[in-house]
PDB file of all heavy atoms in Angstrom:
ATOM      1  N   GLY X  28    -105.734 -35.726 191.611  1.00  0.00           N
ATOM      2  CA  GLY X  28    -106.020 -36.771 190.629  1.00  0.00           C
ATOM      3  C   GLY X  28    -106.890 -36.328 189.477  1.00  0.00           C
ATOM      4  O   GLY X  28    -107.210 -37.118 188.598  1.00  0.00           O
ATOM      5  N   ARG X  29    -107.284 -35.059 189.448  1.00  0.00           N
ATOM      6  CA  ARG X  29    -108.208 -34.571 188.429  1.00  0.00           C
ATOM      7  C   ARG X  29    -107.533 -33.903 187.228  1.00  0.00           C
ATOM      8  O   ARG X  29    -108.180 -33.623 186.226  1.00  0.00           O
ATOM      9  CB  ARG X  29    -109.195 -33.611 189.074  1.00  0.00           C
ATOM     10  CG  ARG X  29    -110.132 -34.314 190.060  1.00  0.00           C
ATOM     11  CD  ARG X  29    -110.775 -33.320 191.026  1.00  0.00           C
ATOM     12  NE  ARG X  29    -111.753 -33.958 191.890  1.00  0.00           N
ATOM     13  CZ  ARG X  29    -111.460 -34.640 192.992  1.00  0.00           C
ATOM     14  NH1 ARG X  29    -110.203 -34.793 193.374  1.00  0.00           N
ATOM     15  NH2 ARG X  29    -112.419 -35.196 193.725  1.00  0.00           N
ATOM     16  N   SER X  30    -106.250 -33.638 187.314  1.00  0.00           N
ATOM     17  CA  SER X  30    -105.534 -32.935 186.245  1.00  0.00           C
ATOM     18  C   SER X  30    -105.500 -33.738 184.951  1.00  0.00           C
ATOM     19  O   SER X  30    -105.322 -34.950 184.958  1.00  0.00           O
ATOM     20  CB  SER X  30    -104.089 -32.654 186.699  1.00  0.00           C
ATOM     21  OG  SER X  30    -103.347 -32.096 185.644  1.00  0.00           O
ATOM     22  N   GLY X  31    -105.636 -33.047 183.851  1.00  0.00           N
ATOM     23  CA  GLY X  31    -105.491 -33.672 182.544  1.00  0.00           C
ATOM     24  C   GLY X  31    -104.036 -33.707 182.103  1.00  0.00           C
ATOM     25  O   GLY X  31    -103.735 -34.214 181.036  1.00  0.00           O
ATOM     26  N   SER X  32    -103.147 -33.156 182.933  1.00  0.00           N
ATOM     27  CA  SER X  32    -101.715 -33.082 182.635  1.00  0.00           C
ATOM     28  C   SER X  32    -100.906 -33.913 183.620  1.00  0.00           C
ATOM     29  O   SER X  32     -99.848 -33.504 184.077  1.00  0.00           O
ATOM     30  CB  SER X  32    -101.241 -31.628 182.717  1.00  0.00           C
ATOM     31  OG  SER X  32    -101.939 -30.819 181.829  1.00  0.00           O
ATOM     32  N   GLN X  33    -101.420 -35.070 184.005  1.00  0.00           N
ATOM     33  CA  GLN X  33    -100.772 -35.934 184.999  1.00  0.00           C
ATOM     34  C   GLN X  33     -99.319 -36.193 184.662  1.00  0.00           C
ATOM     35  O   GLN X  33     -98.997 -36.345 183.491  1.00  0.00           O
ATOM     36  CB  GLN X  33    -101.516 -37.266 185.116  1.00  0.00           C
ATOM     37  CG  GLN X  33    -102.871 -37.156 185.736  1.00  0.00           C
ATOM     38  CD  GLN X  33    -102.834 -36.716 187.182  1.00  0.00           C
ATOM     39  OE1 GLN X  33    -101.907 -36.979 187.943  1.00  0.00           O
ATOM     40  NE2 GLN X  33    -103.865 -36.019 187.578  1.00  0.00           N
ATOM     41  N   PRO X  34     -98.452 -36.238 185.634  1.00  0.00           N
ATOM     42  CA  PRO X  34     -98.700 -36.157 187.075  1.00  0.00           C
ATOM     43  C   PRO X  34     -98.671 -34.742 187.617  1.00  0.00           C
ATOM     44  O   PRO X  34     -98.611 -34.525 188.819  1.00  0.00           O
ATOM     45  CB  PRO X  34     -97.541 -36.959 187.652  1.00  0.00           C
ATOM     46  CG  PRO X  34     -96.398 -36.643 186.740  1.00  0.00           C
ATOM     47  CD  PRO X  34     -97.040 -36.551 185.362  1.00  0.00           C
ATOM     48  N   PHE X  35     -98.760 -33.758 186.724  1.00  0.00           N
ATOM     49  CA  PHE X  35     -98.642 -32.371 187.142  1.00  0.00           C
ATOM     50  C   PHE X  35     -99.978 -31.651 187.174  1.00  0.00           C
ATOM     51  O   PHE X  35    -100.931 -32.046 186.507  1.00  0.00           O
ATOM     52  CB  PHE X  35     -97.647 -31.641 186.237  1.00  0.00           C
ATOM     53  CG  PHE X  35     -96.319 -32.339 186.188  1.00  0.00           C
ATOM     54  CD1 PHE X  35     -95.878 -32.948 185.028  1.00  0.00           C
ATOM     55  CD2 PHE X  35     -95.533 -32.434 187.319  1.00  0.00           C
ATOM     56  CE1 PHE X  35     -94.667 -33.617 184.994  1.00  0.00           C
ATOM     57  CE2 PHE X  35     -94.322 -33.107 187.298  1.00  0.00           C
ATOM     58  CZ  PHE X  35     -93.881 -33.702 186.132  1.00  0.00           C
ATOM     59  N   CYS X  36    -100.024 -30.589 187.957  1.00  0.00           N
ATOM     60  CA  CYS X  36    -101.243 -29.816 188.164  1.00  0.00           C
ATOM     61  C   CYS X  36    -101.602 -28.981 186.935  1.00  0.00           C
ATOM     62  O   CYS X  36    -100.732 -28.386 186.303  1.00  0.00           O
ATOM     63  CB  CYS X  36    -101.036 -28.898 189.375  1.00  0.00           C
ATOM     64  SG  CYS X  36    -102.439 -27.816 189.697  1.00  0.00           S
ATOM     65  N   ASP X  37    -102.892 -28.925 186.631  1.00  0.00           N
ATOM     66  CA  ASP X  37    -103.385 -28.029 185.582  1.00  0.00           C
ATOM     67  C   ASP X  37    -104.488 -27.115 186.110  1.00  0.00           C
ATOM     68  O   ASP X  37    -105.184 -26.459 185.356  1.00  0.00           O
ATOM     69  CB  ASP X  37    -103.876 -28.816 184.361  1.00  0.00           C
ATOM     70  CG  ASP X  37    -105.158 -29.603 184.624  1.00  0.00           C
ATOM     71  OD1 ASP X  37    -105.689 -29.583 185.764  1.00  0.00           O
ATOM     72  OD2 ASP X  37    -105.639 -30.273 183.688  1.00  0.00           O
ATOM     73  N   GLY X  38    -104.656 -27.082 187.448  1.00  0.00           N
ATOM     74  CA  GLY X  38    -105.664 -26.223 188.065  1.00  0.00           C
ATOM     75  C   GLY X  38    -106.999 -26.898 188.302  1.00  0.00           C
ATOM     76  O   GLY X  38    -107.920 -26.274 188.832  1.00  0.00           O
ATOM     77  N   SER X  39    -107.140 -28.155 187.941  1.00  0.00           N
ATOM     78  CA  SER X  39    -108.414 -28.863 188.080  1.00  0.00           C
ATOM     79  C   SER X  39    -108.839 -29.067 189.529  1.00  0.00           C
ATOM     80  O   SER X  39    -109.974 -29.433 189.794  1.00  0.00           O
ATOM     81  CB  SER X  39    -108.352 -30.225 187.383  1.00  0.00           C
ATOM     82  OG  SER X  39    -108.178 -30.064 186.000  1.00  0.00           O
TER      83      SER X  39
END
Side-chain angles (χ1 to χ4, degrees):
R29 293 161 175 81
S30 174
S32 301
Q33 291 295 329
F35 305 112
C36 177
D37 69 359
S39 296

